[in-house]
Amino acid sequence: MAPSARRRTPPTVTLSGSALADSPLLTDGSLDAVAVPVAPGREGDEGLAAGSGTAQAAARYGIDLAELAERSGLTGAAGESSVVQLPRPVGSAVALPWTDLPPRIVLVGVGQGSDTDLRRAGAALARASRGWRAVATTLGDDDHAASSDVARRTRALVEGYLLAAYAQPSGAHKDTAKAAAELVLLGRDGGRVGAAVVAARTAASATWLVRDLANTPSGVKNPAWVADQARRLATRAGVSVEVLGPRELAAQGFGGILAVGGGSASTPRLVVARYTPPQPAAHHVVVVGKGITYDTGGLSIKPRESMVPMKTDMAGAAVALATVLGAAHSGSVHRVTAVLPLAENQVGAASYRPDDVVRLYGGTTVEVQNTDAEGRMVLADALAYADAVLDPDVLIDVATLTGAATLGLGRGHAALYGTDDDLVRALTAAGQATGELAWPMPLSAEYQDSLRSDVADVRQTARDKHMGGGSVFAALFLQRFVGTRRWAHLDVAGTARATADAHEVTAGATGYGARLLLQYLADLS
């Protein structure tokens, strides 16, 4: 059995109630840099965003931050940064007036100061501070803002910083890059701001977990390995966990999971992780996540290039697990259950075939047309199980399901489907609040006839291959297995992976969905 993954955590964030000009951090040598906000469209000192005395502290040492900002060429757009190295005397008795300042000043563009801008500013600072010990900043602070606004702005800044601080492991256990520095927030202490930092850290830690699990190579990560990680992490968090192996899956009729996993030497699993709050729960939210630990396409084999990112095809399952763990960590008032259908879609003597008829959980039969449409098969099993056994008030699934979702929405939005308008609106709002954007899509009833089968209860894919709308048809297929539940489907095929770093998003698995769902739970009343 492959070893367990080490749970990695984001850098430390510290609150300092003092302004920089009055801070002992100036003289104790613990800071590697101080970061200064720069706003766009202003001249001179006006370009330095309001804060806790940063400009005044620098001026005391004869440093004109406005001049530095102007010379750096920054426009003040969110996500810009420039590191200014302060000269130090070498081999001389001459002391420069700023030798007790940190050795660097980081100028960071904050745009108009929106949450999105501050997440991008935090991300820029994290990337600039890799390998440093500590960096202090007034970013996100405003002497004239209400405490609730400072808390919100601080959360956005800290989330951006912690999310961009992530670096992929180079193997199962080794980091590829030094971590970003400890972040010291100047001019802020406890209360709402402290709670905002805790919430940001919970959300970022959930995202780190999704990224670590999804970025783990599939040579290590098979269904049994993911189930072991889920059991270990859930037990540590006080979350109950149940794992069904091949015998239990067969006995209970999980035909979709068994069919998809039949061609692999790595047998499938189903993980059910349950968080129950100490007090009676307000709602029961079930999150189902697609957990294909590697996808060759099966007998409907993918081109080589399309297989390369398929270690991340279990990102939905990782999001479901991170959501239930995050709910437990934050003390959510809602009962949350994560269901992880786990399989490896390989080519083998026992692979399921196009034109097979597969009986899923609960008895629905499916005419298979494409073994590379495997995600909907395992999700259908898990959704039918959740409907029949778990009795959720809200049922949500997350899946890297269709390339079609990226054709209209690109990489910036997930495709969101749902049977309840209020649920769709709530998830959309949670996406807006976290920057994990989702776009509502239609469950077009007139398309249902294209899923009609002559040999089974339903076809796996549409009858007309030239009709388009592949993401819509996949959602309509899944809808058949949720009964009358309030249900939403997030197709994250475009948002779950990235080819390059961009602000708080990191190359590889992005972790999309964990923060959105935790925000949804926090907002749910």
Side-chain angles (χ1 to χ4, degrees):
M1 179 62 64
S4 294
R6 178 168 55 89
R7 180 72 188 271
R8 303 189 307 154
T9 56
T12 301
V13 179
T14 303
L15 298 177
S16 173
S18 60
L20 181 63
D22 306 318
S23 176
L25 295 170
L26 272 179
T27 55
D28 68 7
S30 60
L31 288 179
D32 287 314
V34 59
V36 180
V38 179
R42 297 178 183 176
E43 298 292 335
D45 292 337
E46 291 290 317
L48 298 172
S52 302
T54 311
Q56 294 88 330
R60 194 172 73 191
Y61 296 94
I63 299 174
D64 187 338
L65 290 183
E67 181 183 351
L68 287 180
E70 185 176 353
R71 289 200 331 226
S72 72
L74 296 186
T75 68
E80 290 182 337
S81 67
S82 178
V83 178
V84 179
Q85 193 82 28
L86 297 180
R88 292 291 194 256
V90 178
S92 169
V94 178
L96 296 177
W98 55 78
T99 51
D100 56 348
L101 275 178
R104 306 173 187 88
I105 292 176
V106 187
L107 303 169
V108 183
V110 294
Q112 301 303 318
S114 68
D115 289 358
T116 297
D117 287 345
L118 287 168
R119 271 193 297 270
R120 291 181 173 186
L125 180 55
R127 292 201 168 92
S129 68
R130 285 202 180 279
W132 299 351
R133 294 168 301 169
V135 57
T137 187
T138 60
L139 289 167
D141 192 14
D142 189 331
D143 293 336
H144 308 294
S147 61
S148 59
D149 287 336
V150 172
R152 177 182 52 79
R153 290 158 59 88
T154 298
R155 175 170 179 174
L157 170 77
V158 172
E159 275 194 9
Y161 188 88
L162 297 181
L163 291 169
Y166 178 86
Q168 280 199 50
S170 61
H173 309 286
K174 184 180 178 182
D175 295 348
T176 56
K178 293 180 180 179
E182 174 186 351
L183 179 64
V184 180
L185 300 174
L186 296 167
R188 282 160 282 195
D189 49 21
R192 287 181 172 179
V193 172
V197 171
V198 170
R201 188 169 184 84
T202 298
S205 295
T207 303
W208 274 50
L209 175 60
V210 176
R211 290 173 178 175
D212 274 354
L213 290 174
N215 283 327
T216 298
S218 294
V220 172
K221 176 181 62 188
N222 58 26
W225 184 90
V226 176
D228 285 345
Q229 307 313 303
R231 190 195 302 276
R232 179 177 61 86
L233 292 168
T235 301
R236 185 179 299 171
V239 172
S240 66
V241 62
E242 177 186 10
V243 178
L244 304 184
R247 289 184 181 180
E248 295 88 352
L249 292 171
Q252 296 184 38
F254 288 91
I257 299 173
L258 289 168
V260 172
S264 174
S266 299
T267 53
R269 299 288 189 276
L270 181 77
V271 175
V272 182
R274 298 176 173 90
Y275 161 71
T276 303
Q279 302 300 321
H283 297 280
H284 183 201
V285 178
V286 174
V287 182
V288 176
K290 174 186 170 184
I292 302 300
T293 58
Y294 194 73
D295 184 17
T296 66
L299 293 179
S300 306
I301 197 163
K302 294 178 181 289
R304 183 198 67 81
E305 295 80 4
S306 299
M307 289 189 208
V308 172
M310 285 300 106
K311 66 182 180 183
T312 64
D313 209 21
M314 44 65 67
V319 168
L321 177 62
T323 300
V324 72
L325 297 178
H329 184 268
S330 62
S332 175
V333 299
H334 307 293
R335 186 157 57 108
V336 181
T337 302
V339 182
L340 284 58
L342 304 166
E344 189 173 78
N345 190 24
Q346 286 279 17
V347 178
S351 292
Y352 79 127
R353 296 157 291 240
D355 212 33
D356 277 357
V357 173
V358 176
R359 185 177 299 275
L360 302 187
Y361 187 93
T364 298
T365 56
V366 176
E367 178 187 353
V368 175
Q369 293 294 304
N370 180 0
T371 64
D372 195 23
E374 84 297 330
R376 67 197 70 183
M377 300 291 287
V378 302
L379 285 174
D381 262 352
L383 290 169
Y385 165 80
D387 175 46
V389 176
L390 299 180
D391 192 25
D393 298 308
V394 177
L395 179 56
I396 301 170
D397 73 79
V398 186
T400 50
L401 203 62
T402 68
T406 68
L407 295 180
L409 298 178
R411 302 284 175 178
H413 291 74
L416 171 61
Y417 299 85
T419 56
D420 182 90
D421 290 342
D422 288 340
L423 175 58
V424 169
R425 280 193 290 268
L427 290 170
T428 304
Q432 290 285 350
T434 58
E436 293 191 329
L437 303 177
W439 193 264
M441 299 283 284
L443 283 168
S444 304
E446 59 270 26
Y447 289 0
Q448 286 281 10
D449 189 61
S450 288
L451 294 176
R452 179 177 51 82
S453 171
D454 297 327
V455 296
D457 295 320
V458 63
R459 283 173 58 98
Q460 180 203 37
T461 58
R463 300 176 70 89
D464 184 353
K465 298 178 182 178
H466 305 290
M467 193 169 180
S471 180
V472 179
F473 282 111
L476 288 170
F477 175 86
L478 295 178
Q479 186 182 2
R480 296 181 62 99
F481 300 91
V482 302
T484 59
R485 305 291 174 183
R486 297 178 63 206
W487 164 72
H489 161 58
L490 276 167
D491 189 336
V492 299
T495 54
R497 310 175 181 104
T499 57
D501 294 342
H503 304 301
E504 69 268 29
V505 173
T506 55
T510 66
Y512 175 98
R515 292 188 297 122
L516 185 157
L517 291 181
L518 289 175
Q519 185 67 48
Y520 166 75
L521 290 173
D523 294 341
L524 182 61
S525 60

